[in-house]
């Protein structure tokens, strides 16, 4: 029994992983922001050093620090959203539905499917002509004159 459950569990796990969204989460954004801030550690240290040695006024420090923070945040946003866009683009290229490219679920029109129950010949009159010809050929000239009854009715 357990032998049959393993493949089922594996397939369900794959299905769950494949449904995972590529949109960045708050945790991903925070982790990448921490990493990018560490890359700009020298710039933050230089700003702090200039402020503490009075080479820079408090107002200028706030402006420079805000500018550096904005550059870091823009880099984080660009990296994560570009990754998301690439994943979505790859999915669209492989025919996998995405929120901006959903599956087209158009029902076939009447008679578009070969062998369909919904035959176009019923809609354009050709079916009525064929059916009428078939009934006439099978029933003879007085086919439509027969009414319901029994063999004992007068002819």
């Amino acid at each position: 029994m357990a032998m049959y459950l393993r493949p089922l569990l594996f397939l369900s796990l794959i299905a769950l992983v494949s449904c995972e969204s590529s949109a960045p989460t708050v945790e991903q954004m925070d982790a990448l922001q921490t990493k990018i801030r560490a890359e700009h550690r020298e710039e933050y240290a230089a700003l702090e050093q200039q402020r503490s040695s009075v080479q820079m006024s408090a107002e200028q420090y706030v402006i420079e620090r805000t500018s550096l923070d904005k550059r870091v945040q823009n880099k984080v946003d660009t990296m994560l959203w570009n990754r998301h866009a690439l994943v979505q683009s790859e999915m669209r290229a492989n025919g996998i539905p995405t929120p901006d490219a959903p599956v087209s679920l158009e029902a076939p029109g009447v008679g578009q499917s070969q062998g369909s129950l919904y035959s176009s010949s019923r809609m354009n009159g050709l079916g009525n002509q064929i059916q009428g010809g078939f009934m006439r050929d099978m029933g003879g000239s007085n086919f439509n004159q027969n009414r319901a009854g029994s063999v004992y009715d007068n002819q």
Side-chain angles (χ1 to χ4, degrees), residues 25-150:
T25 63
V26 173
E27 293 82 18
Q28 290 174 327
M29 293 182 113
D30 289 344
L32 188 58
Q33 186 171 17
T34 302
K35 181 181 174 185
I36 300 297
R37 278 186 185 273
E39 290 175 4
H40 291 277
R41 176 178 38 241
E42 293 85 19
E43 293 177 58
Y44 281 106
L47 277 176
E48 191 63 39
Q49 194 271 334
Q50 288 176 356
R51 184 182 68 96
S52 63
S53 67
V54 193
Q55 292 177 351
M56 183 182 294
S57 68
E59 295 84 20
Q60 185 64 25
Y61 171 77
V62 170
I63 292 170
E64 293 294 326
R65 173 75 188 245
T66 304
S67 174
L68 182 57
D69 287 342
K70 188 177 281 191
R71 279 199 333 252
V72 166
Q73 187 60 48
N74 285 342
K75 188 172 182 180
V76 168
D77 291 344
T78 300
M79 290 174 72
L80 287 174
W81 287 108
N82 281 346
R83 178 189 160 276
H84 173 69
L86 286 172
V87 168
Q88 295 288 310
S89 177
E90 182 180 354
M91 289 173 74
R92 279 192 303 275
N94 290 327
I96 300 170
T98 60
D100 58 342
V103 175
S104 176
L105 296 175
E106 296 177 16
V110 174
Q112 288 181 350
S113 299
Q114 189 66 16
S116 171
L117 177 64
Y118 305 105
S119 171
S120 64
S121 62
R122 293 182 183 164
M123 296 302 291
N124 63 15
L126 181 62
N128 291 336
Q129 292 172 5
I130 292 172
Q131 185 177 9
F134 174 73
M135 301 290 260
R136 186 176 53 249
D137 293 342
M138 293 299 291
S141 61
N142 62 355
F143 178 76
N144 288 332
Q145 294 173 1
N146 291 338
R147 289 182 225 77
S150 70

